[in-house]
Amino acid sequence: AQTVTQSQPEMSVQEAETVTLSCTYDTSENNYYLFWYKQPPSRQMILVIRQEAYKQQNATENRFSVNFQKAAKSFSLKISDSQLGDTAMYFCAFMKQGYSTLTFGKGTMLLVSP
Amino acid sequence: DVKVTQSSRYLVKRTGEKVFLECVQDMDHENMFWYRQDPGLGLRLIYFSYDVKMKEKGDIPEGYSVSREKKERFSLILESASTNQTSMYLCASSLTDRAGNTIYFGEGSWLTVV
């Protein structure tokens, strides 16, 4: 079974600064997908970024980027130029190749302050 | 945009009641999911369905059942609600046309069992 670990229950950052959220996972699979989801206080869970394990290049979406280290089984999320609207719970998630379900970490609550 | 709609945002039910949580998606997705979200535990998969009338148990199916009579609708049923089922329930859906597809979530249903 796969497990996803987010070791930071809470983090805080000031506006315009950069913050990195950590995620590690455990799997014996070689092909899989990794995701970061964001859940703002309104509760709608939305996809931030996804990474295919077979791709060595790190995924980037505007101010969001990942540092994917396959050998270390690490998948951290970097948020640049943090904005107040980035305040949310962030979940790291794993999907096995050939499957449709996600395994989630316990989440990191990020607070962005003025 | 994908729309996953959970008809009840907030419910209060009594112990022993039968509870139905309804979810509808409008993008012709084959897969539908029910997750439960609890503080400090992240999201845990209860059941998922990959086609009409098909269902698979997730990680925590005990005390729950599901129904999928139409492709767009996936219902979660608590046959006899108990206080330990007080939680946030998230419905989600995805396509199966390629591997690693994004899963889209509804806004969630807060259930309190008293």
PDB file of all heavy atoms in Angstrom, chain A residues 4-6 8 20-24 34-38 45-51 64-67 74-78 89-94 104 107-108:
ATOM      1  N   VAL A   4       1.457   8.492   2.047  1.00  0.00           N
ATOM      2  CA  VAL A   4       1.892   9.854   1.745  1.00  0.00           C
ATOM      3  C   VAL A   4       2.042  10.595   3.062  1.00  0.00           C
ATOM      4  O   VAL A   4       1.111  10.588   3.879  1.00  0.00           O
ATOM      5  CB  VAL A   4       0.871  10.569   0.844  1.00  0.00           C
ATOM      6  CG1 VAL A   4       1.314  12.006   0.575  1.00  0.00           C
ATOM      7  CG2 VAL A   4       0.692   9.806  -0.466  1.00  0.00           C
ATOM      8  N   THR A   5       3.193  11.222   3.250  1.00  0.00           N
ATOM      9  CA  THR A   5       3.480  11.891   4.514  1.00  0.00           C
ATOM     10  C   THR A   5       3.743  13.379   4.296  1.00  0.00           C
ATOM     11  O   THR A   5       4.607  13.757   3.506  1.00  0.00           O
ATOM     12  CB  THR A   5       4.705  11.263   5.197  1.00  0.00           C
ATOM     13  OG1 THR A   5       4.459   9.870   5.420  1.00  0.00           O
ATOM     14  CG2 THR A   5       4.978  11.936   6.541  1.00  0.00           C
ATOM     15  N   GLN A   6       2.981  14.179   4.989  1.00  0.00           N
ATOM     16  CA  GLN A   6       3.235  15.626   5.021  1.00  0.00           C
ATOM     17  C   GLN A   6       3.621  15.953   6.458  1.00  0.00           C
ATOM     18  O   GLN A   6       2.791  15.881   7.352  1.00  0.00           O
ATOM     19  CB  GLN A   6       1.997  16.396   4.582  1.00  0.00           C
ATOM     20  CG  GLN A   6       1.641  16.148   3.119  1.00  0.00           C
ATOM     21  CD  GLN A   6       0.385  16.893   2.721  1.00  0.00           C
ATOM     22  OE1 GLN A   6      -0.648  16.292   2.456  1.00  0.00           O
ATOM     23  NE2 GLN A   6       0.475  18.211   2.639  1.00  0.00           N
ATOM     24  N   GLN A   8       4.573  18.711   7.910  1.00  0.00           N
ATOM     25  CA  GLN A   8       4.331  20.062   8.432  1.00  0.00           C
ATOM     26  C   GLN A   8       2.824  20.283   8.570  1.00  0.00           C
ATOM     27  O   GLN A   8       2.165  20.593   7.592  1.00  0.00           O
ATOM     28  CB  GLN A   8       4.917  21.117   7.486  1.00  0.00           C
ATOM     29  CG  GLN A   8       6.378  20.899   7.139  1.00  0.00           C
ATOM     30  CD  GLN A   8       6.715  21.420   5.748  1.00  0.00           C
ATOM     31  OE1 GLN A   8       5.980  21.179   4.801  1.00  0.00           O
ATOM     32  NE2 GLN A   8       7.826  22.134   5.620  1.00  0.00           N
ATOM     33  N   THR A  20       7.941  26.630   0.942  1.00  0.00           N
ATOM     34  CA  THR A  20       8.011  25.272   0.402  1.00  0.00           C
ATOM     35  C   THR A  20       7.310  24.304   1.340  1.00  0.00           C
ATOM     36  O   THR A  20       7.622  24.262   2.535  1.00  0.00           O
ATOM     37  CB  THR A  20       9.470  24.829   0.198  1.00  0.00           C
ATOM     38  OG1 THR A  20      10.093  25.717  -0.746  1.00  0.00           O
ATOM     39  CG2 THR A  20       9.540  23.400  -0.340  1.00  0.00           C
ATOM     40  N   LEU A  21       6.388  23.549   0.788  1.00  0.00           N
ATOM     41  CA  LEU A  21       5.666  22.533   1.541  1.00  0.00           C
ATOM     42  C   LEU A  21       6.241  21.160   1.198  1.00  0.00           C
ATOM     43  O   LEU A  21       6.435  20.847   0.021  1.00  0.00           O
ATOM     44  CB  LEU A  21       4.169  22.569   1.199  1.00  0.00           C
ATOM     45  CG  LEU A  21       3.463  23.921   1.303  1.00  0.00           C
ATOM     46  CD1 LEU A  21       1.983  23.768   1.026  1.00  0.00           C
ATOM     47  CD2 LEU A  21       3.717  24.576   2.623  1.00  0.00           C
ATOM     48  N   SER A  22       6.462  20.363   2.211  1.00  0.00           N
ATOM     49  CA  SER A  22       7.123  19.069   2.012  1.00  0.00           C
ATOM     50  C   SER A  22       6.127  17.924   1.866  1.00  0.00           C
ATOM     51  O   SER A  22       5.038  17.954   2.446  1.00  0.00           O
ATOM     52  CB  SER A  22       8.035  18.767   3.197  1.00  0.00           C
ATOM     53  OG  SER A  22       9.008  19.764   3.343  1.00  0.00           O
ATOM     54  N   CYS A  23       6.539  16.934   1.104  1.00  0.00           N
ATOM     55  CA  CYS A  23       5.741  15.719   0.937  1.00  0.00           C
ATOM     56  C   CYS A  23       6.687  14.575   0.610  1.00  0.00           C
ATOM     57  O   CYS A  23       7.541  14.701  -0.280  1.00  0.00           O
ATOM     58  CB  CYS A  23       4.723  15.896  -0.178  1.00  0.00           C
ATOM     59  SG  CYS A  23       3.798  14.387  -0.604  1.00  0.00           S
ATOM     60  N   THR A  24       6.552  13.488   1.312  1.00  0.00           N
ATOM     61  CA  THR A  24       7.258  12.269   0.951  1.00  0.00           C
ATOM     62  C   THR A  24       6.239  11.154   0.804  1.00  0.00           C
ATOM     63  O   THR A  24       5.136  11.221   1.350  1.00  0.00           O
ATOM     64  CB  THR A  24       8.314  11.873   1.992  1.00  0.00           C
ATOM     65  OG1 THR A  24       7.666  11.692   3.259  1.00  0.00           O
ATOM     66  CG2 THR A  24       9.397  12.939   2.125  1.00  0.00           C
ATOM     67  N   LEU A  34       1.727  12.193  -9.131  1.00  0.00           N
ATOM     68  CA  LEU A  34       1.686  12.941  -7.874  1.00  0.00           C
ATOM     69  C   LEU A  34       0.949  14.248  -8.096  1.00  0.00           C
ATOM     70  O   LEU A  34       1.054  14.864  -9.172  1.00  0.00           O
ATOM     71  CB  LEU A  34       3.109  13.214  -7.376  1.00  0.00           C
ATOM     72  CG  LEU A  34       3.908  11.965  -6.996  1.00  0.00           C
ATOM     73  CD1 LEU A  34       5.393  12.276  -6.938  1.00  0.00           C
ATOM     74  CD2 LEU A  34       3.423  11.401  -5.675  1.00  0.00           C
ATOM     75  N   PHE A  35       0.225  14.658  -7.078  1.00  0.00           N
ATOM     76  CA  PHE A  35      -0.619  15.844  -7.182  1.00  0.00           C
ATOM     77  C   PHE A  35      -0.475  16.698  -5.918  1.00  0.00           C
ATOM     78  O   PHE A  35      -0.242  16.186  -4.824  1.00  0.00           O
ATOM     79  CB  PHE A  35      -2.105  15.451  -7.300  1.00  0.00           C
ATOM     80  CG  PHE A  35      -2.444  14.555  -8.452  1.00  0.00           C
ATOM     81  CD1 PHE A  35      -2.190  13.194  -8.388  1.00  0.00           C
ATOM     82  CD2 PHE A  35      -3.039  15.073  -9.592  1.00  0.00           C
ATOM     83  CE1 PHE A  35      -2.521  12.352  -9.448  1.00  0.00           C
ATOM     84  CE2 PHE A  35      -3.371  14.244 -10.652  1.00  0.00           C
ATOM     85  CZ  PHE A  35      -3.113  12.884 -10.575  1.00  0.00           C
ATOM     86  N   TRP A  36      -0.654  17.978  -6.096  1.00  0.00           N
ATOM     87  CA  TRP A  36      -0.917  18.884  -4.981  1.00  0.00           C
ATOM     88  C   TRP A  36      -2.300  19.489  -5.189  1.00  0.00           C
ATOM     89  O   TRP A  36      -2.592  20.045  -6.254  1.00  0.00           O
ATOM     90  CB  TRP A  36       0.123  19.999  -4.910  1.00  0.00           C
ATOM     91  CG  TRP A  36       1.388  19.602  -4.227  1.00  0.00           C
ATOM     92  CD1 TRP A  36       2.563  19.224  -4.810  1.00  0.00           C
ATOM     93  CD2 TRP A  36       1.613  19.556  -2.811  1.00  0.00           C
ATOM     94  NE1 TRP A  36       3.501  18.933  -3.851  1.00  0.00           N
ATOM     95  CE2 TRP A  36       2.953  19.131  -2.622  1.00  0.00           C
ATOM     96  CE3 TRP A  36       0.833  19.836  -1.679  1.00  0.00           C
ATOM     97  CZ2 TRP A  36       3.524  18.974  -1.353  1.00  0.00           C
ATOM     98  CZ3 TRP A  36       1.398  19.676  -0.434  1.00  0.00           C
ATOM     99  CH2 TRP A  36       2.721  19.257  -0.274  1.00  0.00           C
ATOM    100  N   TYR A  37      -3.128  19.359  -4.155  1.00  0.00           N
ATOM    101  CA  TYR A  37      -4.452  19.963  -4.156  1.00  0.00           C
ATOM    102  C   TYR A  37      -4.495  21.043  -3.090  1.00  0.00           C
ATOM    103  O   TYR A  37      -3.846  20.949  -2.048  1.00  0.00           O
ATOM    104  CB  TYR A  37      -5.537  18.923  -3.848  1.00  0.00           C
ATOM    105  CG  TYR A  37      -5.999  18.123  -5.041  1.00  0.00           C
ATOM    106  CD1 TYR A  37      -5.322  16.979  -5.437  1.00  0.00           C
ATOM    107  CD2 TYR A  37      -7.123  18.504  -5.763  1.00  0.00           C
ATOM    108  CE1 TYR A  37      -5.755  16.229  -6.529  1.00  0.00           C
ATOM    109  CE2 TYR A  37      -7.571  17.766  -6.849  1.00  0.00           C
ATOM    110  CZ  TYR A  37      -6.876  16.634  -7.224  1.00  0.00           C
ATOM    111  OH  TYR A  37      -7.318  15.895  -8.306  1.00  0.00           O
ATOM    112  N   LYS A  38      -5.314  22.048  -3.353  1.00  0.00           N
ATOM    113  CA  LYS A  38      -5.499  23.172  -2.432  1.00  0.00           C
ATOM    114  C   LYS A  38      -6.956  23.202  -1.995  1.00  0.00           C
ATOM    115  O   LYS A  38      -7.858  23.064  -2.821  1.00  0.00           O
ATOM    116  CB  LYS A  38      -5.137  24.468  -3.166  1.00  0.00           C
ATOM    117  CG  LYS A  38      -5.511  25.750  -2.484  1.00  0.00           C
ATOM    118  CD  LYS A  38      -5.201  26.921  -3.408  1.00  0.00           C
ATOM    119  CE  LYS A  38      -5.635  28.238  -2.800  1.00  0.00           C
ATOM    120  NZ  LYS A  38      -5.339  29.385  -3.707  1.00  0.00           N
ATOM    121  N   MET A  45     -12.057  21.796  -3.079  1.00  0.00           N
ATOM    122  CA  MET A  45     -10.724  21.250  -3.329  1.00  0.00           C
ATOM    123  C   MET A  45     -10.382  21.448  -4.805  1.00  0.00           C
ATOM    124  O   MET A  45     -11.145  21.028  -5.682  1.00  0.00           O
ATOM    125  CB  MET A  45     -10.724  19.760  -3.013  1.00  0.00           C
ATOM    126  CG  MET A  45      -9.366  19.119  -3.103  1.00  0.00           C
ATOM    127  SD  MET A  45      -8.541  19.111  -1.543  1.00  0.00           S
ATOM    128  CE  MET A  45      -9.466  17.843  -0.729  1.00  0.00           C
ATOM    129  N   ILE A  46      -9.254  22.070  -5.083  1.00  0.00           N
ATOM    130  CA  ILE A  46      -8.882  22.299  -6.482  1.00  0.00           C
ATOM    131  C   ILE A  46      -7.450  21.833  -6.726  1.00  0.00           C
ATOM    132  O   ILE A  46      -6.603  21.893  -5.829  1.00  0.00           O
ATOM    133  CB  ILE A  46      -9.028  23.786  -6.883  1.00  0.00           C
ATOM    134  CG1 ILE A  46      -8.230  24.694  -5.932  1.00  0.00           C
ATOM    135  CG2 ILE A  46     -10.491  24.195  -6.904  1.00  0.00           C
ATOM    136  CD1 ILE A  46      -8.238  26.138  -6.340  1.00  0.00           C
ATOM    137  N   LEU A  47      -7.202  21.389  -7.940  1.00  0.00           N
ATOM    138  CA  LEU A  47      -5.878  20.915  -8.307  1.00  0.00           C
ATOM    139  C   LEU A  47      -4.931  22.099  -8.477  1.00  0.00           C
ATOM    140  O   LEU A  47      -5.249  23.077  -9.140  1.00  0.00           O
ATOM    141  CB  LEU A  47      -5.943  20.131  -9.611  1.00  0.00           C
ATOM    142  CG  LEU A  47      -4.610  19.626 -10.151  1.00  0.00           C
ATOM    143  CD1 LEU A  47      -4.049  18.537  -9.240  1.00  0.00           C
ATOM    144  CD2 LEU A  47      -4.761  19.109 -11.571  1.00  0.00           C
ATOM    145  N   VAL A  48      -3.745  21.989  -7.890  1.00  0.00           N
ATOM    146  CA  VAL A  48      -2.723  23.006  -8.052  1.00  0.00           C
ATOM    147  C   VAL A  48      -1.738  22.600  -9.137  1.00  0.00           C
ATOM    148  O   VAL A  48      -1.429  23.377 -10.055  1.00  0.00           O
ATOM    149  CB  VAL A  48      -1.962  23.229  -6.716  1.00  0.00           C
ATOM    150  CG1 VAL A  48      -0.811  24.211  -6.917  1.00  0.00           C
ATOM    151  CG2 VAL A  48      -2.905  23.726  -5.634  1.00  0.00           C
ATOM    152  N   ILE A  49      -1.260  21.355  -9.048  1.00  0.00           N
ATOM    153  CA  ILE A  49      -0.206  20.927  -9.958  1.00  0.00           C
ATOM    154  C   ILE A  49      -0.117  19.410  -9.931  1.00  0.00           C
ATOM    155  O   ILE A  49      -0.467  18.781  -8.929  1.00  0.00           O
ATOM    156  CB  ILE A  49       1.148  21.590  -9.556  1.00  0.00           C
ATOM    157  CG1 ILE A  49       2.137  21.604 -10.704  1.00  0.00           C
ATOM    158  CG2 ILE A  49       1.701  20.951  -8.294  1.00  0.00           C
ATOM    159  CD1 ILE A  49       3.304  22.548 -10.460  1.00  0.00           C
ATOM    160  N   ARG A  50       0.299  18.822 -11.058  1.00  0.00           N
ATOM    161  CA  ARG A  50       0.472  17.374 -11.117  1.00  0.00           C
ATOM    162  C   ARG A  50       1.797  17.041 -11.765  1.00  0.00           C
ATOM    163  O   ARG A  50       2.339  17.826 -12.569  1.00  0.00           O
ATOM    164  CB  ARG A  50      -0.678  16.710 -11.870  1.00  0.00           C
ATOM    165  CG  ARG A  50      -0.690  16.975 -13.353  1.00  0.00           C
ATOM    166  CD  ARG A  50      -2.010  16.524 -13.994  1.00  0.00           C
ATOM    167  NE  ARG A  50      -2.172  15.100 -14.049  1.00  0.00           N
ATOM    168  CZ  ARG A  50      -1.708  14.327 -15.031  1.00  0.00           C
ATOM    169  NH1 ARG A  50      -1.027  14.847 -16.023  1.00  0.00           N
ATOM    170  NH2 ARG A  50      -1.928  13.015 -15.024  1.00  0.00           N
ATOM    171  N   GLN A  51       2.312  15.861 -11.444  1.00  0.00           N
ATOM    172  CA  GLN A  51       3.613  15.419 -11.946  1.00  0.00           C
ATOM    173  C   GLN A  51       3.530  13.953 -12.317  1.00  0.00           C
ATOM    174  O   GLN A  51       3.051  13.138 -11.522  1.00  0.00           O
ATOM    175  CB  GLN A  51       4.689  15.619 -10.867  1.00  0.00           C
ATOM    176  CG  GLN A  51       6.059  15.067 -11.185  1.00  0.00           C
ATOM    177  CD  GLN A  51       6.890  16.016 -12.028  1.00  0.00           C
ATOM    178  OE1 GLN A  51       6.877  17.227 -11.826  1.00  0.00           O
ATOM    179  NE2 GLN A  51       7.641  15.478 -12.976  1.00  0.00           N
ATOM    180  N   PHE A  64       3.497  28.350  -8.860  1.00  0.00           N
ATOM    181  CA  PHE A  64       3.627  27.060  -8.185  1.00  0.00           C
ATOM    182  C   PHE A  64       4.584  26.159  -8.953  1.00  0.00           C
ATOM    183  O   PHE A  64       4.451  26.017 -10.180  1.00  0.00           O
ATOM    184  CB  PHE A  64       2.255  26.386  -8.075  1.00  0.00           C
ATOM    185  CG  PHE A  64       1.251  27.171  -7.269  1.00  0.00           C
ATOM    186  CD1 PHE A  64       0.463  28.143  -7.879  1.00  0.00           C
ATOM    187  CD2 PHE A  64       1.110  26.955  -5.913  1.00  0.00           C
ATOM    188  CE1 PHE A  64      -0.460  28.868  -7.138  1.00  0.00           C
ATOM    189  CE2 PHE A  64       0.184  27.675  -5.169  1.00  0.00           C
ATOM    190  CZ  PHE A  64      -0.601  28.636  -5.778  1.00  0.00           C
ATOM    191  N   SER A  65       5.508  25.555  -8.249  1.00  0.00           N
ATOM    192  CA  SER A  65       6.414  24.605  -8.877  1.00  0.00           C
ATOM    193  C   SER A  65       6.699  23.483  -7.892  1.00  0.00           C
ATOM    194  O   SER A  65       6.474  23.626  -6.685  1.00  0.00           O
ATOM    195  CB  SER A  65       7.705  25.291  -9.311  1.00  0.00           C
ATOM    196  OG  SER A  65       8.375  25.826  -8.194  1.00  0.00           O
ATOM    197  N   VAL A  66       7.157  22.366  -8.437  1.00  0.00           N
ATOM    198  CA  VAL A  66       7.473  21.241  -7.572  1.00  0.00           C
ATOM    199  C   VAL A  66       8.937  20.893  -7.706  1.00  0.00           C
ATOM    200  O   VAL A  66       9.591  21.192  -8.703  1.00  0.00           O
ATOM    201  CB  VAL A  66       6.604  20.000  -7.891  1.00  0.00           C
ATOM    202  CG1 VAL A  66       5.130  20.311  -7.654  1.00  0.00           C
ATOM    203  CG2 VAL A  66       6.857  19.493  -9.299  1.00  0.00           C
ATOM    204  N   ASN A  67       9.434  20.248  -6.653  1.00  0.00           N
ATOM    205  CA  ASN A  67      10.765  19.647  -6.688  1.00  0.00           C
ATOM    206  C   ASN A  67      10.540  18.150  -6.500  1.00  0.00           C
ATOM    207  O   ASN A  67      10.288  17.680  -5.389  1.00  0.00           O
ATOM    208  CB  ASN A  67      11.644  20.218  -5.581  1.00  0.00           C
ATOM    209  CG  ASN A  67      13.051  19.646  -5.650  1.00  0.00           C
ATOM    210  OD1 ASN A  67      13.397  18.884  -6.572  1.00  0.00           O
ATOM    211  ND2 ASN A  67      13.878  19.991  -4.701  1.00  0.00           N
ATOM    212  N   SER A  74      10.371  12.101  -2.856  1.00  0.00           N
ATOM    213  CA  SER A  74      10.039  13.403  -2.291  1.00  0.00           C
ATOM    214  C   SER A  74       9.375  14.257  -3.357  1.00  0.00           C
ATOM    215  O   SER A  74       9.760  14.229  -4.538  1.00  0.00           O
ATOM    216  CB  SER A  74      11.315  14.077  -1.801  1.00  0.00           C
ATOM    217  OG  SER A  74      11.093  15.414  -1.450  1.00  0.00           O
ATOM    218  N   PHE A  75       8.373  15.041  -2.938  1.00  0.00           N
ATOM    219  CA  PHE A  75       7.585  15.827  -3.903  1.00  0.00           C
ATOM    220  C   PHE A  75       7.152  17.105  -3.197  1.00  0.00           C
ATOM    221  O   PHE A  75       6.039  17.218  -2.708  1.00  0.00           O
ATOM    222  CB  PHE A  75       6.377  14.997  -4.343  1.00  0.00           C
ATOM    223  CG  PHE A  75       5.507  15.652  -5.384  1.00  0.00           C
ATOM    224  CD1 PHE A  75       6.003  16.008  -6.625  1.00  0.00           C
ATOM    225  CD2 PHE A  75       4.161  15.889  -5.135  1.00  0.00           C
ATOM    226  CE1 PHE A  75       5.195  16.592  -7.587  1.00  0.00           C
ATOM    227  CE2 PHE A  75       3.336  16.477  -6.093  1.00  0.00           C
ATOM    228  CZ  PHE A  75       3.857  16.828  -7.317  1.00  0.00           C
ATOM    229  N   SER A  76       8.014  18.101  -3.156  1.00  0.00           N
ATOM    230  CA  SER A  76       7.708  19.328  -2.429  1.00  0.00           C
ATOM    231  C   SER A  76       7.089  20.371  -3.361  1.00  0.00           C
ATOM    232  O   SER A  76       7.344  20.376  -4.570  1.00  0.00           O
ATOM    233  CB  SER A  76       8.957  19.891  -1.753  1.00  0.00           C
ATOM    234  OG  SER A  76       9.945  20.166  -2.716  1.00  0.00           O
ATOM    235  N   LEU A  77       6.299  21.232  -2.780  1.00  0.00           N
ATOM    236  CA  LEU A  77       5.617  22.301  -3.522  1.00  0.00           C
ATOM    237  C   LEU A  77       6.203  23.641  -3.107  1.00  0.00           C
ATOM    238  O   LEU A  77       6.245  23.959  -1.911  1.00  0.00           O
ATOM    239  CB  LEU A  77       4.121  22.290  -3.215  1.00  0.00           C
ATOM    240  CG  LEU A  77       3.296  23.440  -3.824  1.00  0.00           C
ATOM    241  CD1 LEU A  77       3.209  23.288  -5.337  1.00  0.00           C
ATOM    242  CD2 LEU A  77       1.898  23.485  -3.208  1.00  0.00           C
ATOM    243  N   LYS A  78       6.637  24.410  -4.090  1.00  0.00           N
ATOM    244  CA  LYS A  78       7.149  25.749  -3.826  1.00  0.00           C
ATOM    245  C   LYS A  78       6.147  26.771  -4.335  1.00  0.00           C
ATOM    246  O   LYS A  78       5.718  26.710  -5.495  1.00  0.00           O
ATOM    247  CB  LYS A  78       8.505  25.969  -4.494  1.00  0.00           C
ATOM    248  CG  LYS A  78       9.134  27.308  -4.134  1.00  0.00           C
ATOM    249  CD  LYS A  78      10.570  27.424  -4.620  1.00  0.00           C
ATOM    250  CE  LYS A  78      10.635  27.901  -6.040  1.00  0.00           C
ATOM    251  NZ  LYS A  78      12.038  28.250  -6.446  1.00  0.00           N
ATOM    252  N   MET A  89      -5.586  24.836   3.054  1.00  0.00           N
ATOM    253  CA  MET A  89      -5.001  23.540   3.382  1.00  0.00           C
ATOM    254  C   MET A  89      -4.477  22.957   2.067  1.00  0.00           C
ATOM    255  O   MET A  89      -5.189  22.980   1.049  1.00  0.00           O
ATOM    256  CB  MET A  89      -6.069  22.625   3.978  1.00  0.00           C
ATOM    257  CG  MET A  89      -5.558  21.267   4.401  1.00  0.00           C
ATOM    258  SD  MET A  89      -4.550  21.350   5.883  1.00  0.00           S
ATOM    259  CE  MET A  89      -5.811  21.293   7.124  1.00  0.00           C
ATOM    260  N   TYR A  90      -3.262  22.447   2.104  1.00  0.00           N
ATOM    261  CA  TYR A  90      -2.655  21.847   0.919  1.00  0.00           C
ATOM    262  C   TYR A  90      -2.442  20.354   1.157  1.00  0.00           C
ATOM    263  O   TYR A  90      -1.873  19.948   2.165  1.00  0.00           O
ATOM    264  CB  TYR A  90      -1.318  22.516   0.588  1.00  0.00           C
ATOM    265  CG  TYR A  90      -1.494  23.906   0.025  1.00  0.00           C
ATOM    266  CD1 TYR A  90      -1.722  24.993   0.871  1.00  0.00           C
ATOM    267  CD2 TYR A  90      -1.460  24.127  -1.347  1.00  0.00           C
ATOM    268  CE1 TYR A  90      -1.911  26.266   0.350  1.00  0.00           C
ATOM    269  CE2 TYR A  90      -1.644  25.397  -1.872  1.00  0.00           C
ATOM    270  CZ  TYR A  90      -1.877  26.450  -1.006  1.00  0.00           C
ATOM    271  OH  TYR A  90      -2.067  27.716  -1.527  1.00  0.00           O
ATOM    272  N   PHE A  91      -2.918  19.581   0.193  1.00  0.00           N
ATOM    273  CA  PHE A  91      -2.800  18.128   0.290  1.00  0.00           C
ATOM    274  C   PHE A  91      -1.917  17.602  -0.833  1.00  0.00           C
ATOM    275  O   PHE A  91      -2.105  17.948  -2.003  1.00  0.00           O
ATOM    276  CB  PHE A  91      -4.168  17.455   0.179  1.00  0.00           C
ATOM    277  CG  PHE A  91      -5.068  17.688   1.355  1.00  0.00           C
ATOM    278  CD1 PHE A  91      -6.035  18.683   1.309  1.00  0.00           C
ATOM    279  CD2 PHE A  91      -4.952  16.914   2.495  1.00  0.00           C
ATOM    280  CE1 PHE A  91      -6.877  18.898   2.387  1.00  0.00           C
ATOM    281  CE2 PHE A  91      -5.796  17.125   3.577  1.00  0.00           C
ATOM    282  CZ  PHE A  91      -6.755  18.116   3.520  1.00  0.00           C
ATOM    283  N   CYS A  92      -1.005  16.754  -0.471  1.00  0.00           N
ATOM    284  CA  CYS A  92      -0.210  16.002  -1.424  1.00  0.00           C
ATOM    285  C   CYS A  92      -0.920  14.673  -1.657  1.00  0.00           C
ATOM    286  O   CYS A  92      -1.468  14.091  -0.710  1.00  0.00           O
ATOM    287  CB  CYS A  92       1.190  15.784  -0.839  1.00  0.00           C
ATOM    288  SG  CYS A  92       2.317  14.830  -1.850  1.00  0.00           S
ATOM    289  N   ALA A  93      -0.924  14.189  -2.893  1.00  0.00           N
ATOM    290  CA  ALA A  93      -1.654  12.961  -3.191  1.00  0.00           C
ATOM    291  C   ALA A  93      -0.919  12.125  -4.225  1.00  0.00           C
ATOM    292  O   ALA A  93      -0.194  12.664  -5.081  1.00  0.00           O
ATOM    293  CB  ALA A  93      -3.063  13.285  -3.677  1.00  0.00           C
ATOM    294  N   PHE A  94      -1.149  10.825  -4.161  1.00  0.00           N
ATOM    295  CA  PHE A  94      -0.457   9.834  -4.998  1.00  0.00           C
ATOM    296  C   PHE A  94      -1.496   9.014  -5.756  1.00  0.00           C
ATOM    297  O   PHE A  94      -2.519   8.623  -5.206  1.00  0.00           O
ATOM    298  CB  PHE A  94       0.366   8.929  -4.070  1.00  0.00           C
ATOM    299  CG  PHE A  94       1.036   7.763  -4.738  1.00  0.00           C
ATOM    300  CD1 PHE A  94       2.378   7.828  -5.067  1.00  0.00           C
ATOM    301  CD2 PHE A  94       0.348   6.591  -5.013  1.00  0.00           C
ATOM    302  CE1 PHE A  94       3.020   6.752  -5.681  1.00  0.00           C
ATOM    303  CE2 PHE A  94       0.972   5.516  -5.623  1.00  0.00           C
ATOM    304  CZ  PHE A  94       2.319   5.591  -5.948  1.00  0.00           C
ATOM    305  N   PHE A 104      -4.105  10.316  -0.124  1.00  0.00           N
ATOM    306  CA  PHE A 104      -3.754  11.659   0.331  1.00  0.00           C
ATOM    307  C   PHE A 104      -2.866  11.638   1.561  1.00  0.00           C
ATOM    308  O   PHE A 104      -2.942  10.730   2.395  1.00  0.00           O
ATOM    309  CB  PHE A 104      -5.027  12.437   0.696  1.00  0.00           C
ATOM    310  CG  PHE A 104      -5.817  12.921  -0.485  1.00  0.00           C
ATOM    311  CD1 PHE A 104      -6.776  12.104  -1.051  1.00  0.00           C
ATOM    312  CD2 PHE A 104      -5.604  14.173  -1.020  1.00  0.00           C
ATOM    313  CE1 PHE A 104      -7.520  12.537  -2.148  1.00  0.00           C
ATOM    314  CE2 PHE A 104      -6.340  14.614  -2.111  1.00  0.00           C
ATOM    315  CZ  PHE A 104      -7.292  13.794  -2.669  1.00  0.00           C
ATOM    316  N   GLY A 107      -2.227  16.667   5.076  1.00  0.00           N
ATOM    317  CA  GLY A 107      -2.415  18.075   4.780  1.00  0.00           C
ATOM    318  C   GLY A 107      -1.494  18.999   5.551  1.00  0.00           C
ATOM    319  O   GLY A 107      -1.031  18.676   6.647  1.00  0.00           O
ATOM    320  N   THR A 108      -1.234  20.159   4.946  1.00  0.00           N
ATOM    321  CA  THR A 108      -0.487  21.243   5.579  1.00  0.00           C
ATOM    322  C   THR A 108      -1.325  22.509   5.480  1.00  0.00           C
ATOM    323  O   THR A 108      -1.719  22.899   4.376  1.00  0.00           O
ATOM    324  CB  THR A 108       0.870  21.487   4.891  1.00  0.00           C
ATOM    325  OG1 THR A 108       1.688  20.334   5.032  1.00  0.00           O
ATOM    326  CG2 THR A 108       1.570  22.704   5.481  1.00  0.00           C
TER     327      THR A 108
END
